[in-house]
Amino acid sequence: MKIMCLIRQVPDAEARVKTANGTVDLQGSSMALDGMDEYGVEQALRMSEGGAGTVAVAVGPQRFEDAIRRTLAMGLERAIHIETDLVLDVVTTSRLLKAIALEEQPDLIFVGGQHADTDSQAMGAALSEALGWNLVTWTTELTLEGQHVTAVHDVDDGKETVELELPCVVTTQQGLNEPRYPTLPNIMKSKKKELLKKSLNDYGISSTMVRVVNQEIQQRARLQHIIDGKDAAAAAEQLIVLLHTEAKVI
Amino acid sequence: MSLNQRDMQFQVFEVLDAASLLNRERFKDHSSVTFEDILEMSFEFAKRQLEPHHRLSDTLEPQMIDGTARVLPEVKAALYAMRDAGFFAAAADEEYGGLQLPNLVWNACQAAFMASNPGTSSYAFLTVGAANLIRSFGTDAQKETYLRPMLEGRWFGTMCLSEPHAGSSLTDIHARATPNADGTYALSGRKMWISGGDQDISENIVHLVLAKLPDAPAGVKGISLFIVPKHRVTASGLEPNDVALAGLNHKLGARGTTNALLSFGERGDCVAELVGAPHQGLAQMFQMMNEARIGVGLGGAALGCAGYVSSLEYAREREQGRLPTNKDPSSPQVNIIQHSDVKRMLLAQKALSEGAFALCLYASRLVDDHGTHPDATVRGEAGALLDLLTPVVKAWSTHYSLEANVLAIQVLGGYGYTREYAPELYYRDNRINPIHEGTNGIQSLDLLGRKVAQNGGIGMTLLTREIDGDIKAARAAGLNDLSDALEAAVSVAHSTTRTLMGASPDVMLANSWHYLELLGHTVIAWQWLNAARVATLKLPTASSDDAAFYKGKLHAATYFTRFELPKVALWGKLLGSLDTTTLTMQENWF
């Protein structure tokens, strides 16, 4: 059984991200392995014998190495880093990953269900299309018997169970598992694991089809409703409506 | 996150140069990257596993149910996760499954844990301290039986010194150990204030207990050290060892850690094993105590830093009032961080808590030098300097980090006095630190009555040599004002020490606390001078974020030197006059 985990590095959920000259400036921001990718890594570890046959694949700048090391410290066997400062579009990335998959011959590829930074959910589908493999998205449960995969995935108002055959692409979702911490011994062992460095040139890719021309960070203004409290009952009713319809906390 | 991770990196890697430890045999399997990753991991662990239940474990403190202390499931889960990640054995010998992490890096990890949740994390640190004591003085059989399960985090450890009637005065303990025919001892007595004394987390609890043998000489020289497990190891497994939980103390803070009154041998069936030679217990226990004192200082400093970070976040967001030059009431309000008095309180917190943190990590590095430096002379000198500084590390750090916590509450105004915000919790958690592991008053007596003059005053000689060397380096970096001020303080410290050493013991020790403050302020100014030197050298090539960090360090160094260090001269004048105001006060005059 060979399992490939596509991973990315994103700003930590609590990082204060700023933009400068139409580009997100990540200098000084704390970065982390994308949480959705972490579910895939954890699942790969659970489905393998002590991480045997598992490989992390990352496409991104040099700083991605921290996230890659993290997956090795969690227990993946080895890693491939396609080091580039070019921000690739999803379709180009899927072509690149297809080439890697053809080299690696995995039975299963885990892809994060949604990018924590850009909110894109397209990568899993694009890779499945490029490879012509089965796909299951937003997976919250996964079992494997021989070549046969049973997966539970979220739909709008519930969940459904699907069956598919290997090889396949699985995109992850919160609830799939509880990712482990790297243990201190594994952190030390991870330094001796293989981290293969490659470039886009190695796969004949030199450009991207979509160019980012401007980036902005969504600003959320406080609504600051003031409720007239002269009629307590009416105020309470109004508050309940606001909490339900605007704050969406009840 | 409760601690500033950037400051941690600054202290560990830039000031104390953790990478220079890598050429030592004990740390040869590590690298700078593993140090960084392990520190990063400890911050993440603290954020995910410890912070979330900090308030909950304060609100729902442990309860005694059916003779056992019951703790929250969240506390257990966090400690199991800490165990599974390998933190219990992080600094232990490879022989016992450890990773041989340097004390400097391990203590930095501990600081992240203690700032996030001292109540939960204390169980682990108590266990590691107890395990170290067994490693140093235990027999091979004791190591085999107790050490490995403790370092695996399956069994926890405690230290049992105080009794209901004997806290600081261990001379007067009543606990007795009577020899059994098989070489073990029957132990009886009560022990008070036992952190982690009982809990339902670990499979077993290994108590390290001070007690007296029947033929013991009077005084502290008649105290022996014993291993007393809650459940003793027999051929058929673990069996109760007649250690009863007599009650739980309900505390102001650090409530996640149980604090117990334990009763040993009520049924005459409490089996104990002697550790090391008879009557050497206190000296042996002091190894654990000295480690624990650095840990307590570090815990205090970490909570001081946590309060600073928390109040800084609040001050950056809370809008209130306008600056004195703005007379337009319709103009927008400013964030309170723009008010000078709020900046004063934040600067004071930064100077006190980060200064204490720097000293605690410096002491942690001395532990590494004492234990692992290839040159025996350097090892000896590090030990002597550590001996001198340990009471300062413990007492100054806990006293002034608590002062920082008071200011953190003040920055938040009325909100600071509520349980909606963290500073009051940090304050209550931190309030134990000036009290336990030897009160700060005891630390000052230890410093002035013992450590300063110990071995011909070698500690003070070495301290002066180190400070002088760093002043020269700071002058080379252009930090003349800070260097001049520190040099003057060192001179006051020396003259005051000489004067006090010539006085009668009663007069000399009457104002020992202020002597500790005098020496402590001098030592903290030294730490700030070193931080300022590193910041000055790094500033020209720093990124914009790093440049702001280094400028903050320089400004805090200046604050400490201008606002705090001048107190050394005042204390020097008071102590130099051999003032007897406190000594001559009579009980019935109060």
Side-chain angles (χ1 to χ4, degrees), chain B residues 152-174:
Chain B
E152 288 171 356
R154 293 189 288 113
W155 296 4
F156 286 2
T158 75
M159 52 200 289
C160 302
L161 288 79
S162 299
E163 298 181 3
H165 67 286
S168 297
S169 179
L170 292 170
T171 303
D172 302 306
I173 62 170
H174 289 163

Side-chain angles (χ1 to χ4, degrees), chain A residues 4 16-17 21 25-26 31 43-44 60 68 73 79 97-98 121 125 156 160 164 169-170 173 184 235 248:
Chain A
M4 191 167 117
R16 289 169 187 263
V17 180
N21 302 321
D25 178 10
L26 293 174
M31 308 295 287
Q43 200 62 30
I68 297 168
L97 293 172
K98 177 186 175 183
Q121 305 164 25
D156 277 351
E160 62 184 10
L164 60 161
V169 176
V170 174
Q173 159 74 314
L184 302 192
K248 296 185 186 345

